[in-house]
Amino acid sequence: SQTIHQWPATLVQPVGSPLSLECTVEGTSNPNLYWYRQAAGRGLQLLFYSVGIGQISSEVPQNLSASRPQDRQFILSSKKLLLSDSGFYLCAWSVQAGGHNEQFFGPGTRLTVL
Amino acid sequence: QKEVEQNSGPLSVPEGAIASLNCTYSDRGSQSFFWYRQYSGKSPELIMFIYSNGDKEDGRFTAQLNKASQYVSLLIRDSQPSDSATYLCAAPSGGSYIPTFGRGTSLIVHP
């Protein structure tokens, strides 16, 4: 069966510090991968998605970036965090073909920028 | 702007009642619809998806889709306090495989 991991689970960072969040998927090959952010009291905002190694599409211009160095690894980064980057960061995966593209979410990383 | 709209609630129902959660969408090209449950502080969990007009049942959950009226519903029968959560509706826009999520409806089931 497929599982998705995210780490760290929680993170408190000062403004201006760098960020690296990691997501890995097990039990499937060539998945679509997604990064979402959920701010307090708000909906899910799609940040990035990837259909393959090295292929990243950005949905929202901001100080965040994403990379996919391996088939089942997705990384979210920032060089300098802003207060507005606080939120619940969720990684998700979906199959590329043969389904209805239902997404499955990892446990999330709760980021607080102070 | 393709939108998925949900009443934020909270919807409060007594234990054992039927909870009815509704969602409307703006893109007539949407083909698949998803319901997620999100407990406070946790990530969303897929509980149902539907792509054909009519009803789809899975245990205590029934998803209903009406493409002509552009709405999708989730019914929870015999509601339990453990069903208290935020329910997110999602639908990809026509031509895209990436779903747009509604803001969610908060459900409270009281004993």
Side-chain angles (χ1 to χ4, degrees), chain A residues 32 34 36 38 41-44 46 49 51 88 90 100-107 110, chain B residues 31-32 34 36 38 40-46 49 51 88 92 97-99 101-103:
Chain A
N32 293 323
Y34 312 83
Y36 287 88
Q38 189 175 39
R42 301 184 66 179
L44 285 170
L46 178 65
Y49 66 95
V51 299
F88 192 34
L90 292 157
H100 292 275
N101 288 305
E102 53 267 41
Q103 293 183 336
F104 302 93
F105 287 86
R110 192 162 302 280
Chain B
Q31 296 295 319
S32 302
F34 308 96
Y36 289 82
Q38 187 174 21
S40 179
K42 302 296 185 182
S43 62
E45 174 192 10
L46 180 67
F49 71 88
Y51 53 89
L88 305 173
Y97 61 88
I98 301 175
F101 284 82
R103 292 193 169 214

Side-chain angles (χ1 to χ4, degrees), chain B residues 16-67:
Chain B
I18 296 175
S20 178
L21 303 161
N22 300 313
C23 171
T24 59
Y25 59 95
S26 62
D27 187 355
R28 286 192 172 275
S30 296
Q31 296 295 319
S32 302
F33 304 86
F34 308 96
W35 282 102
Y36 289 82
R37 177 177 62 200
Q38 187 174 21
Y39 292 115
S40 179
K42 302 296 185 182
S43 62
E45 174 192 10
L46 180 67
I47 54 174
M48 292 281 291
F49 71 88
I50 186 168
Y51 53 89
S52 298
N53 269 332
D55 295 358
K56 179 181 179 182
E57 186 175 317
D58 183 0
R60 294 187 297 112
F61 298 99
T62 299
Q64 299 177 318
L65 174 60
N66 184 321
K67 290 187 177 181

